[in-house]
């Protein structure tokens, strides 16, 4: 972490709120475990992505362990605006984590939406939507302890079955000084059911801060439709960008130039093979036959992947 981070001290940190005041819908790369790391963020920024999140980092480990900081958080001076997402359940721990990343990032986000069993059982993620006072307290603490007024403090949530509870949570967070709220339009129990865009619209109409819509957005056209359905100020995409990192630039499927860019960026960043290969598997899902996938998906070295791409696609 340190080499990259020291370099970023020279960079001009940005005010993410400027994006929401631009009059344009803000296009956002979601926090994705294992995937929304520096190399991938570098790629999507080349293709019209306005704002990127790190993968979710457990704040307590991050504060306690230099090893966790080194492995979980790398950045450089082109990696802005950048939001670091934390899982936390104690206000002071979140503040301590925020203070560590403050010189190198443009804001932090508190994860109140992860439905995975391990997270919820530890008191992290989606269970926080049922603890509005704690969320309010955590936001307020970070707000009061970080000196930089441009440093954003946001939250990412899921919705309740009873939407009044979600609106109450959002209004409490707004009163505590939250910068914006990302709403994944499903409840904790819902996985692949349709997204409740109508719920996101109700939340948007109840708030005066920016609201970001998230859930099942696969193309730029989907993003435009969701913006019209919800009136959201921003659109956050996860799997849609994994499948097509050039999505926000209007490409229907991953262009070969984007695959070339990924190869160049990943090699430059020393991306581990498994991560390098998995991204390519996602990116080429729609443009390869079943037979090609059988061969490509079992390749086991960077050189084998590079040879395959060169032989088949001239990459």
């Amino acid at each position: 972490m340190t080499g990259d981070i020291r370099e970023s001290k020279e960079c001009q940190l940005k005010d993410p709120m400027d994006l929401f005041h631009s009059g344009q819908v803000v296009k956002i790369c979601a926090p994705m475990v294992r995937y929304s790391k520096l190399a991938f963020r570098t790629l999507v920024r080349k293709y019209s992505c306005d704002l990127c999140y790190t993968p979710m980092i457990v704040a307590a480990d991050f504060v306690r362990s230099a090893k966790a900081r080194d492995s979980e958080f790398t950045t450089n001076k082109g990696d802005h605006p950048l939001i670091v997402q934390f899982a936390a359940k104690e206000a002071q721990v979140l503040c301590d984590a925020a203070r560590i990343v403050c010189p190198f990032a443009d804001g932090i986000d508190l994860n109140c939406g992860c439905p995975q069993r391990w997270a919820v059982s530890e008191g992290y993620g989606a269970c926080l939507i049922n603890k509005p006072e704690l969320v309010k307290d955590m936001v307020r603490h970070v707000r009061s302890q970080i000196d930089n007024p441009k440093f954003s403090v946001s939250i990412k949530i899921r919705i309740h079955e009873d939407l009044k509870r979600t609106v109450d949570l959002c209004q409490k967070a707004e009163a505590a000084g939250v910068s914006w709220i990302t709403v994944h339009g499903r409840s904790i129990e819902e996985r692949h059911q349709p997204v409740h865009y109508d719920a996101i619209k109700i939340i948007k109409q109840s708030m005066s801060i920016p609201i970001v819509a998230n859930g099942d957005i696969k193309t730029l056209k989907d993003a435009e439709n969701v913006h019209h359905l919800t009136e959201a100020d921003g659109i956050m995409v996860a799997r849609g960008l994994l499948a097509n990192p050039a999505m926000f630039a209007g490409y229907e499927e991953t262009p070969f130039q984007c695959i070339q860019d990924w190869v160049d960026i990943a090699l430059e960043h020393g991306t581990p093979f498994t991560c390098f290969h998995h991204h390519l598997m996602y990116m080429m899902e729609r443009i390869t036959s079943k037979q090609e996938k059988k061969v490509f998906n079992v390749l086991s070295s960077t050189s084998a992947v590079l040879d395959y791409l060169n032989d088949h696609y001239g990459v």
Side-chain angles (χ1 to χ4, degrees):
M1 163 174 120
T2 41
D4 281 336
I5 278 208
R6 219 174 280 124
E7 190 187 0
S8 84
K9 277 223 164 177
E10 301 150 25
C11 76
Q12 196 58 50
L13 293 181
K14 300 181 179 172
D15 182 351
M17 287 305 290
D18 288 347
L19 291 170
F20 290 105
H21 298 143
S22 69
Q24 303 291 315
V25 180
V26 184
K27 301 188 282 293
I28 304 171
C29 174
M32 291 179 273
V33 175
R34 295 187 301 281
Y35 293 124
S36 61
K37 297 201 163 189
L38 176 58
F40 187 70
R41 297 194 301 265
T42 304
L43 180 67
V44 295
R45 289 185 196 280
K46 281 180 78 100
Y47 290 93
S48 303
C49 184
D50 299 316
L51 180 64
C52 292
Y53 281 54
T54 67
M56 181 181 79
I57 299 168
V58 176
D61 297 342
F62 191 78
V63 169
R64 191 171 50 238
S65 157
K67 189 177 172 191
R69 291 195 289 278
D70 285 346
S71 67
E72 297 282 345
F73 181 52
T74 43
T75 187
N76 61 27
K77 58 188 174 192
D79 188 28
H80 295 279
L82 175 66
I83 306 301
V84 182
Q85 192 190 62
F86 286 112
K89 56 185 174 182
E90 294 163 275
Q92 195 51 53
V93 173
L94 182 61
C95 287
D96 292 344
R99 207 178 285 115
I100 293 167
V101 300
C102 184
F104 316 112
D106 304 281
I108 63 140
D109 184 83
L110 174 63
N111 185 313
C112 306
C114 177
Q116 290 183 30
R117 201 170 288 127
W118 75 266
V120 173
S121 68
E122 292 277 341
Y124 300 135
C127 69
L128 290 175
I129 66 171
N130 298 319
K131 299 176 181 178
E133 293 299 332
L134 176 56
V135 171
K136 182 178 169 182
D137 192 44
M138 287 199 273
V139 170
R140 196 169 46 219
H141 264 76
V142 178
R143 266 274 164 263
S144 64
Q145 290 190 31
I146 298 290
D147 294 334
N148 178 2
K150 292 183 172 181
F151 191 78
S152 66
V153 182
S154 56
I155 63 174
K156 183 172 187 284
I157 66 169
R158 283 183 170 240
I159 58 173
H160 300 83
E161 300 289 343
D162 175 4
L163 203 57
K164 286 199 214 63
R165 294 178 65 197
T166 317
V167 170
D168 175 63
L169 166 72
C170 292
Q171 288 174 339
K172 283 188 165 79
E174 181 174 17
V178 84
S179 306
W180 68 83
I181 297 173
T182 300
V183 183
H184 181 89
R186 291 187 177 100
S187 69
I188 298 175
E189 289 75 29
E190 291 175 319
R191 289 295 186 277
H192 304 292
Q193 291 89 333
V195 176
H196 303 284
Y197 296 120
D198 53 335
I200 301 177
K201 182 174 184 174
I202 289 166
I203 294 165
K204 169 63 193 165
Q205 290 172 337
S206 311
M207 310 295 293
S208 52
I209 54 168
I211 296 296
V212 173
N214 171 235
D216 275 5
I217 299 159
K218 303 282 188 343
T219 64
L220 188 60
K221 188 139 191 49
D222 287 348
E224 287 161 0
N225 289 343
V226 169
H227 168 62
H228 291 305
L229 285 170
T230 62
E231 299 168 11
D233 305 274
I235 299 291
M236 179 183 279
V237 179
R239 282 180 306 220
L241 278 173
L242 278 183
N244 178 8
M247 182 197 117
F248 282 141
Y251 292 91
E252 291 291 313
E253 55 190 29
T254 311
F256 286 121
Q257 183 56 51
C258 182
I259 294 170
Q260 179 71 66
D261 288 337
W262 171 245
V263 170
D264 294 343
I265 291 165
L267 293 179
E268 185 189 328
H269 284 268
T271 302
F273 171 72
T274 304
C275 180
F276 169 64
H277 190 208
H278 278 185
H279 274 294
L280 287 167
M281 282 156 63
Y282 280 116
M283 287 158 68
M284 294 166 64
E285 173 77 24
R286 295 183 202 160
I287 55 177
T288 49
S289 66
K290 199 176 258 186
Q291 201 50 49
E292 286 173 314
K293 285 185 187 70
K294 271 185 184 161
V295 176
F296 184 78
N297 292 1
V298 297
L299 296 175
S300 58
S301 71
T302 300
S303 57
V305 167
L306 295 177
D307 288 345
Y308 183 95
L309 292 174
N310 191 25
D311 294 346
H312 289 72
Y313 303 106
V315 171

